[in-house]
Amino acid sequence: MTLLRFAPSPTGSFHLGGLRTALFNHLYARKRSGKWLLRLEDTDRERSHPMYIGNIRESLEWAGLNYDYGPGADQSLGPYTQSERLDLYLKYSSKLLNSGHAYRCFCSKDRMADVREKLARLGSNETYDKACLHLTDEEVARRVKAGEKHVVRLNNERLPKRPEPADIVFGQLKDAHLSLPTDPILVKTDLFPTYHLASVVDDHEMGITHVLRGEEWLTSLPLHLDLYACLSLKPPQFGHIPILLNADGTKMSKRGTGAFVNDYMREGWEPSSVLNWLALTGWGAQHDASSSVQEGQVAGVASNTGAAGKPQEPVVQQAPDSTAIFTMDELINQFDVSALTHRRTVLDSKKLEYLNHHFLMRALDDPRKQKALADELGAIVREALPGCDE
Ligand code: GLU
């Protein structure tokens, strides 16, 4: 069964980009008669807050994006909050330590920062000098027994051979490993995993078949595929969704108001028009087929030949107009991941106004919706003009 996951970190108000990622997960899962789950990635202990979990759930509910598994839904793949799954990550970390794919590093934060700075000054791409890679087993055991704080790092020198990563949206990635840190940290001194280990373990344990997530994680894909290879696990297929831009070309995530789902809820926008607007941003452009990876190819093992060994033409579906109006069922029906562009796209608020107008007109044909709108309007007027209905 196709199973996707939406895995936000509850570290701030829920963003429009997050809502779009959730929507694409929903559309992709439903299109394939599959399911999706909500997983809360709260391994950043300083920044995570339960208040933001509430905000994510309320936003998804407002938008009508109903996940199949997650808090308040089917519990059979849970727990869905990473801080409740720590034993699992330590189990996988032990596997990596035992097989020599990872090692313990006792360097202090200050030493790590010094080394990183020195290496950068020398013009090196390395970010750590691997000082702890060569500690003897006896010394490691002694320091662990003494309770010395340490992290667990991936051992880049012991990586199994693996192909260049491939992405459903961005295609085959070239030299992708060059941007990775030296021997990335997998477990922190507080015994919490880093995002990388936790997401790989959870995607595997939960049986995720496809990962659709934000472009900001594309650079981590090679590391994730390394982890799958070290653990001899089959990776899911990956697709990264391009970052949303403001009209002036800056990243939407850097914007204050207008970037959070809360703003749209409070201002009374029709959820369906917000979803249409988000769905067709980055979907409305002609897809650049030359670099695409076809669905069905597994990330990391993509090939350009079909079953008969003949090169296959990517299937390109004409993308819909970005102001076309779709119900959720129509969106699901039309959604085709191969029609997603990998270029960053501007979220144009004029289009939302246009879509909202059309959704409201359509809604006014429905007597139940008429009543709901009248009630909403009444509440706004009463708030603005206290005592007006006395
Ligand atoms: N927790 C990550 C975030 O909130 C999502 C990463 C992922 O989907 O793999 O950005």
Side-chain angles (χ1 to χ4, degrees):
M1 181 192 63
T2 298
L3 181 63
L4 287 91
R5 91 297 194 274
F6 174 53
S9 298
T11 51
S13 287
F14 191 48
H15 202 271
L16 274 186
L19 188 64
R20 188 178 64 149
T21 304
L23 171 64
F24 283 0
N25 274 278
H26 181 80
L27 298 178
Y28 196 62
R30 297 294 181 252
K31 174 86 188 247
R32 300 168 70 107
S33 306
K35 297 192 171 180
W36 65 287
L37 60 85
L38 172 65
R39 183 171 77 221
L40 297 150
E41 301 202 326
D42 63 343
T43 54
D44 183 339
R45 292 170 86 183
E46 272 164 32
R47 295 173 57 227
S48 298
H49 199 285
M51 168 177 91
Y52 298 127
I53 296 183
N55 182 222
I56 292 166
R57 291 183 60 185
E58 272 162 33
S59 304
L60 294 177
E61 200 181 322
W62 170 79
L65 295 177
N66 301 321
Y67 45 86
D68 304 282
Y69 303 88
D74 188 326
Q75 293 301 301
S76 56
L77 298 176
Y80 299 101
T81 305
Q82 288 188 324
S83 56
E84 294 170 24
R85 303 170 63 83
L86 298 182
D87 290 354
L88 202 56
Y89 310 129
L90 291 182
K91 187 178 103 188
Y92 279 86
S93 149
S94 297
K95 273 191 196 175
L96 291 166
L97 285 166
N98 291 338
S99 60
H101 287 114
Y103 65 96
R104 297 182 202 265
C105 165
F106 298 87
C107 294
S108 67
K109 265 201 168 133
D110 287 348
R111 180 175 190 279
M112 287 186 204
D114 281 355
V115 169
R116 201 176 315 122
E117 204 189 301
K118 263 186 214 139
L119 289 166
R121 243 186 288 125
L122 293 172
S124 167
N125 280 335
E126 302 290 326
T127 54
Y128 176 57
D129 62 1
K130 297 173 182 270
C132 290
L133 177 59
H134 306 293
L135 297 178
T136 61
D137 291 349
E138 291 71 29
E139 176 160 11
V140 171
R142 183 186 57 74
R143 293 170 82 164
V144 170
K145 198 160 169 226
E148 224 181 285
K149 279 205 177 303
H150 60 276
V151 299
V152 174
R153 289 181 181 273
L154 184 69
N155 180 358
N156 276 349
E157 287 171 23
R158 288 285 302 275
L159 296 178
K161 223 176 143 28
R162 64 254 178 257
E164 287 288 333
D167 182 83
I168 300 171
V169 179
F170 282 79
Q172 204 82 37
L173 306 185
K174 300 248 156 43
D175 298 327
H177 282 84
L178 295 181
S179 57
L180 290 182
T182 310
D183 295 353
I185 295 176
L186 305 177
V187 180
K188 301 179 269 188
T189 50
D190 60 2
L191 297 182
F192 267 59
T194 54
Y195 153 69
H196 308 291
L197 179 65
S199 77
V200 165
V201 167
D202 284 345
D203 286 345
H204 170 69
E205 285 280 329
M206 293 174 172
I208 300 300
T209 58
H210 296 74
V211 170
L212 284 188
R213 63 185 176 192
E215 181 191 342
E216 59 274 30
W217 301 109
L218 186 64
T219 50
S220 304
L221 179 59
L223 167 56
H224 297 177
L225 294 175
D226 287 347
L227 286 171
Y228 281 103
C230 291
L231 291 162
S232 307
L233 302 174
K234 182 175 179 243
Q237 271 196 269
F238 287 90
H240 290 80
I241 304 165
I243 285 170
L244 291 174
L245 299 177
N246 297 309
D248 63 1
T250 54
K251 280 188 196 169
M252 178 121 217
S253 55
K254 304 279 177 245
R255 193 162 100 186
T257 52
F260 302 111
V261 181
N262 271 345
D263 298 334
Y264 297 83
M265 288 164 75
R266 202 185 46 243
E267 289 167 10
W269 294 90
E270 276 295 296
S272 313
S273 59
V274 173
L275 291 184
N276 244 240
W277 181 45
L278 292 174
L280 297 182
T281 301
W283 192 13
Q286 178 70 44
H287 183 53
D288 176 358
S290 60
S291 61
S292 73
V293 173
Q294 288 184 57
E295 289 184 57
Q297 291 179 332
V298 173
V301 292
S303 110
N304 289 326
T305 52
K310 288 196 192 120
Q312 285 187 336
E313 283 302 313
V315 182
V316 181
Q317 179 163 313
Q318 183 63 47
D321 186 272
S322 62
T323 49
I325 301 196
F326 294 109
T327 61
M328 180 57 88
D329 283 345
E330 287 163 348
L331 276 178
I332 292 169
N333 207 13
Q334 289 266 341
F335 187 72
D336 186 329
V337 88
S338 77
L340 284 182
T341 173
H342 52 73
R343 293 188 197 91
R344 296 179 172 190
T345 39
V346 172
L347 202 50
D348 176 357
S349 50
K350 286 268 170 299
K351 281 185 188 163
L352 175 62
E353 283 168 26
Y354 172 88
L355 292 166
N356 205 63
H357 173 78
H358 282 266
F359 269 100
L360 279 177
M361 298 310 285
R362 198 187 270 188
L364 285 174
D365 294 339
D366 174 352
R368 274 172 314 165
K369 197 74 194 176
Q370 280 171 12
K371 164 130 184 30
L373 283 172
D375 290 349
E376 240 175 80
L377 203 60
I380 294 169
V381 172
R382 273 190 295 277
E383 201 186 313
L385 304 169
C388 66
D389 56 352
E390 277 167 13

